[in-house]
mmCIF file of all heavy atoms in Angstrom:
data_model
loop_
_atom_site.group_PDB
_atom_site.id
_atom_site.type_symbol
_atom_site.label_atom_id
_atom_site.label_comp_id
_atom_site.label_asym_id
_atom_site.label_seq_id
_atom_site.Cartn_x
_atom_site.Cartn_y
_atom_site.Cartn_z
ATOM 1 N N ILE H 12 2.619 -5.989 -12.646
ATOM 2 C CA ILE H 12 2.022 -6.069 -11.316
ATOM 3 C C ILE H 12 2.087 -4.715 -10.622
ATOM 4 O O ILE H 12 1.096 -4.235 -10.059
ATOM 5 C CB ILE H 12 2.719 -7.144 -10.467
ATOM 6 C CG1 ILE H 12 2.501 -8.526 -11.065
ATOM 7 C CG2 ILE H 12 2.204 -7.105 -9.021
ATOM 8 C CD1 ILE H 12 3.335 -9.622 -10.418
ATOM 9 N N LEU H 13 3.258 -4.084 -10.661
ATOM 10 C CA LEU H 13 3.453 -2.817 -9.964
ATOM 11 C C LEU H 13 2.505 -1.743 -10.495
ATOM 12 O O LEU H 13 1.939 -0.967 -9.719
ATOM 13 C CB LEU H 13 4.904 -2.360 -10.098
ATOM 14 C CG LEU H 13 5.279 -1.069 -9.373
ATOM 15 C CD1 LEU H 13 5.006 -1.185 -7.872
ATOM 16 C CD2 LEU H 13 6.749 -0.730 -9.613
ATOM 17 N N GLU H 14 2.318 -1.710 -11.804
ATOM 18 C CA GLU H 14 1.450 -0.694 -12.395
ATOM 19 C C GLU H 14 0.001 -0.856 -11.929
ATOM 20 O O GLU H 14 -0.757 0.117 -11.878
ATOM 21 C CB GLU H 14 1.523 -0.750 -13.918
ATOM 22 C CG GLU H 14 0.887 0.445 -14.599
ATOM 23 C CD GLU H 14 1.136 0.480 -16.096
ATOM 24 O OE1 GLU H 14 1.724 -0.478 -16.632
ATOM 25 O OE2 GLU H 14 0.738 1.472 -16.731
ATOM 26 N N SER H 15 -0.386 -2.081 -11.564
ATOM 27 C CA SER H 15 -1.767 -2.343 -11.155
ATOM 28 C C SER H 15 -2.027 -2.052 -9.674
ATOM 29 O O SER H 15 -3.175 -2.050 -9.242
ATOM 30 C CB SER H 15 -2.124 -3.810 -11.437
ATOM 31 O OG SER H 15 -1.457 -4.682 -10.522
ATOM 32 N N LEU H 16 -0.983 -1.807 -8.902
ATOM 33 C CA LEU H 16 -1.132 -1.643 -7.456
ATOM 34 C C LEU H 16 -1.520 -0.211 -7.082
ATOM 35 O O LEU H 16 -1.180 0.751 -7.783
ATOM 36 C CB LEU H 16 0.168 -2.024 -6.744
ATOM 37 C CG LEU H 16 0.618 -3.487 -6.892
ATOM 38 C CD1 LEU H 16 1.937 -3.704 -6.160
ATOM 39 C CD2 LEU H 16 -0.443 -4.449 -6.384
ATOM 40 N N ASP H 17 -2.188 -0.088 -5.942
ATOM 41 C CA ASP H 17 -2.542 1.216 -5.401
ATOM 42 C C ASP H 17 -1.299 1.883 -4.820
ATOM 43 O O ASP H 17 -0.631 1.315 -3.942
ATOM 44 C CB ASP H 17 -3.606 1.048 -4.315
ATOM 45 C CG ASP H 17 -3.944 2.364 -3.643
ATOM 46 O OD1 ASP H 17 -4.545 3.217 -4.302
ATOM 47 O OD2 ASP H 17 -3.579 2.524 -2.464
ATOM 48 N N ALA H 18 -0.986 3.071 -5.297
ATOM 49 C CA ALA H 18 0.259 3.740 -4.910
ATOM 50 C C ALA H 18 0.321 4.021 -3.412
ATOM 51 O O ALA H 18 1.389 3.897 -2.796
ATOM 52 C CB ALA H 18 0.428 5.036 -5.695
ATOM 53 N N SER H 19 -0.802 4.388 -2.799
ATOM 54 C CA SER H 19 -0.778 4.695 -1.366
ATOM 55 C C SER H 19 -0.479 3.448 -0.545
ATOM 56 O O SER H 19 0.231 3.515 0.468
ATOM 57 C CB SER H 19 -2.114 5.312 -0.928
ATOM 58 O OG SER H 19 -3.188 4.419 -1.149
ATOM 59 N N ALA H 20 -0.994 2.301 -0.984
ATOM 60 C CA ALA H 20 -0.709 1.044 -0.280
ATOM 61 C C ALA H 20 0.757 0.657 -0.440
ATOM 62 O O ALA H 20 1.406 0.208 0.512
ATOM 63 C CB ALA H 20 -1.617 -0.068 -0.801
ATOM 64 N N VAL H 21 1.290 0.835 -1.648
ATOM 65 C CA VAL H 21 2.708 0.539 -1.886
ATOM 66 C C VAL H 21 3.587 1.412 -1.000
ATOM 67 O O VAL H 21 4.545 0.928 -0.369
ATOM 68 C CB VAL H 21 3.074 0.742 -3.373
ATOM 69 C CG1 VAL H 21 4.592 0.620 -3.574
ATOM 70 C CG2 VAL H 21 2.349 -0.269 -4.254
ATOM 71 N N CYS H 22 3.263 2.696 -0.913
ATOM 72 C CA CYS H 22 4.055 3.623 -0.097
ATOM 73 C C CYS H 22 4.035 3.214 1.375
ATOM 74 O O CYS H 22 5.069 3.244 2.055
ATOM 75 C CB CYS H 22 3.529 5.040 -0.251
ATOM 76 S SG CYS H 22 3.870 5.770 -1.861
ATOM 77 N N ARG H 23 2.875 2.848 1.862
ATOM 78 C CA ARG H 23 2.745 2.438 3.269
ATOM 79 C C ARG H 23 3.509 1.139 3.530
ATOM 80 O O ARG H 23 4.262 1.029 4.504
ATOM 81 C CB ARG H 23 1.265 2.257 3.614
ATOM 82 C CG ARG H 23 1.016 1.869 5.080
ATOM 83 C CD ARG H 23 -0.456 1.728 5.389
ATOM 84 N NE ARG H 23 -1.082 0.652 4.625
ATOM 85 C CZ ARG H 23 -1.913 0.833 3.602
ATOM 86 N NH1 ARG H 23 -2.210 2.049 3.180
ATOM 87 N NH2 ARG H 23 -2.438 -0.201 2.963
ATOM 88 N N ASN H 24 3.330 0.171 2.661
ATOM 89 C CA ASN H 24 3.959 -1.142 2.873
ATOM 90 C C ASN H 24 5.478 -1.088 2.718
ATOM 91 O O ASN H 24 6.206 -1.720 3.478
ATOM 92 C CB ASN H 24 3.381 -2.168 1.898
ATOM 93 C CG ASN H 24 1.943 -2.519 2.199
ATOM 94 O OD1 ASN H 24 1.500 -2.434 3.350
ATOM 95 N ND2 ASN H 24 1.198 -2.913 1.181
ATOM 96 N N ALA H 25 5.938 -0.352 1.720
ATOM 97 C CA ALA H 25 7.369 -0.347 1.396
ATOM 98 C C ALA H 25 8.133 0.809 2.029
ATOM 99 O O ALA H 25 9.348 0.882 1.896
ATOM 100 C CB ALA H 25 7.549 -0.303 -0.123
ATOM 101 N N SER H 26 7.425 1.725 2.715
ATOM 102 C CA SER H 26 8.048 2.905 3.312
ATOM 103 C C SER H 26 8.782 3.719 2.256
ATOM 104 O O SER H 26 9.973 4.032 2.383
ATOM 105 C CB SER H 26 9.010 2.513 4.448
ATOM 106 O OG SER H 26 9.468 3.644 5.147
ATOM 107 N N VAL H 27 8.052 4.050 1.178
ATOM 108 C CA VAL H 27 8.588 4.857 0.089
ATOM 109 C C VAL H 27 7.639 6.024 -0.167
ATOM 110 O O VAL H 27 6.572 6.112 0.437
ATOM 111 C CB VAL H 27 8.760 4.018 -1.203
ATOM 112 C CG1 VAL H 27 9.739 2.885 -0.973
ATOM 113 C CG2 VAL H 27 7.407 3.472 -1.695
ATOM 114 N N LYS H 28 8.030 6.914 -1.068
ATOM 115 C CA LYS H 28 7.196 8.053 -1.449
ATOM 116 C C LYS H 28 6.740 7.880 -2.894
ATOM 117 O O LYS H 28 7.377 7.180 -3.686
ATOM 118 C CB LYS H 28 7.970 9.365 -1.303
ATOM 119 C CG LYS H 28 8.353 9.700 0.130
ATOM 120 C CD LYS H 28 9.137 10.999 0.186
ATOM 121 C CE LYS H 28 9.543 11.339 1.616
ATOM 122 N NZ LYS H 28 10.363 12.584 1.678
ATOM 123 N N PHE H 29 5.639 8.560 -3.233
ATOM 124 C CA PHE H 29 5.145 8.559 -4.617
ATOM 125 C C PHE H 29 4.946 10.003 -5.055
ATOM 126 O O PHE H 29 4.311 10.797 -4.351
ATOM 127 C CB PHE H 29 3.824 7.792 -4.727
ATOM 128 C CG PHE H 29 3.325 7.639 -6.139
ATOM 129 C CD1 PHE H 29 3.952 6.760 -7.011
ATOM 130 C CD2 PHE H 29 2.237 8.366 -6.598
ATOM 131 C CE1 PHE H 29 3.502 6.609 -8.323
ATOM 132 C CE2 PHE H 29 1.776 8.229 -7.900
ATOM 133 C CZ PHE H 29 2.420 7.339 -8.767
ATOM 134 N N VAL H 30 5.522 10.346 -6.199
ATOM 135 C CA VAL H 30 5.403 11.693 -6.741
ATOM 136 C C VAL H 30 4.297 11.676 -7.802
ATOM 137 O O VAL H 30 4.479 11.125 -8.894
ATOM 138 C CB VAL H 30 6.734 12.174 -7.356
ATOM 139 C CG1 VAL H 30 6.592 13.588 -7.898
ATOM 140 C CG2 VAL H 30 7.854 12.102 -6.319
ATOM 141 N N GLU H 31 3.152 12.247 -7.453
ATOM 142 C CA GLU H 31 1.981 12.189 -8.323
ATOM 143 C C GLU H 31 2.242 12.808 -9.702
ATOM 144 O O GLU H 31 1.856 12.245 -10.736
ATOM 145 C CB GLU H 31 0.807 12.934 -7.665
ATOM 146 C CG GLU H 31 0.260 12.265 -6.417
ATOM 147 C CD GLU H 31 -0.730 11.156 -6.739
ATOM 148 O OE1 GLU H 31 -1.035 10.961 -7.937
ATOM 149 O OE2 GLU H 31 -1.173 10.484 -5.801
ATOM 150 N N LYS H 32 2.892 13.943 -9.724
ATOM 151 C CA LYS H 32 3.060 14.686 -10.980
ATOM 152 C C LYS H 32 3.788 13.863 -12.037
ATOM 153 O O LYS H 32 3.386 13.830 -13.203
ATOM 154 C CB LYS H 32 3.820 15.987 -10.708
ATOM 155 C CG LYS H 32 3.929 16.887 -11.930
ATOM 156 C CD LYS H 32 4.579 18.215 -11.564
ATOM 157 C CE LYS H 32 4.673 19.120 -12.792
ATOM 158 N NZ LYS H 32 5.305 20.422 -12.459
ATOM 159 N N SER H 33 4.857 13.195 -11.617
ATOM 160 C CA SER H 33 5.643 12.409 -12.573
ATOM 161 C C SER H 33 5.304 10.916 -12.532
ATOM 162 O O SER H 33 5.729 10.162 -13.406
ATOM 163 C CB SER H 33 7.142 12.599 -12.308
ATOM 164 O OG SER H 33 7.427 12.301 -10.953
ATOM 165 N N GLY H 34 4.564 10.507 -11.504
ATOM 166 C CA GLY H 34 4.138 9.110 -11.410
ATOM 167 C C GLY H 34 5.231 8.135 -11.043
ATOM 168 O O GLY H 34 5.200 6.978 -11.464
ATOM 169 N N HIS H 35 6.198 8.586 -10.232
ATOM 170 C CA HIS H 35 7.270 7.657 -9.855
ATOM 171 C C HIS H 35 7.373 7.503 -8.332
ATOM 172 O O HIS H 35 7.037 8.415 -7.574
ATOM 173 C CB HIS H 35 8.623 8.097 -10.432
ATOM 174 C CG HIS H 35 9.209 9.321 -9.795
ATOM 175 N ND1 HIS H 35 9.051 10.584 -10.308
ATOM 176 C CD2 HIS H 35 9.971 9.480 -8.670
ATOM 177 C CE1 HIS H 35 9.678 11.463 -9.548
ATOM 178 N NE2 HIS H 35 10.244 10.818 -8.538
#
Side-chain angles (χ1 to χ4, degrees):
I12 295 171
L13 182 58
E14 192 172 5
S15 72
L16 297 179
D17 176 69
S19 61
V21 172
C22 289
R23 182 179 63 253
N24 291 333
S26 188
V27 299
K28 295 179 181 178
F29 185 73
V30 181
E31 292 277 356
K32 185 175 181 180
S33 54
H35 71 264

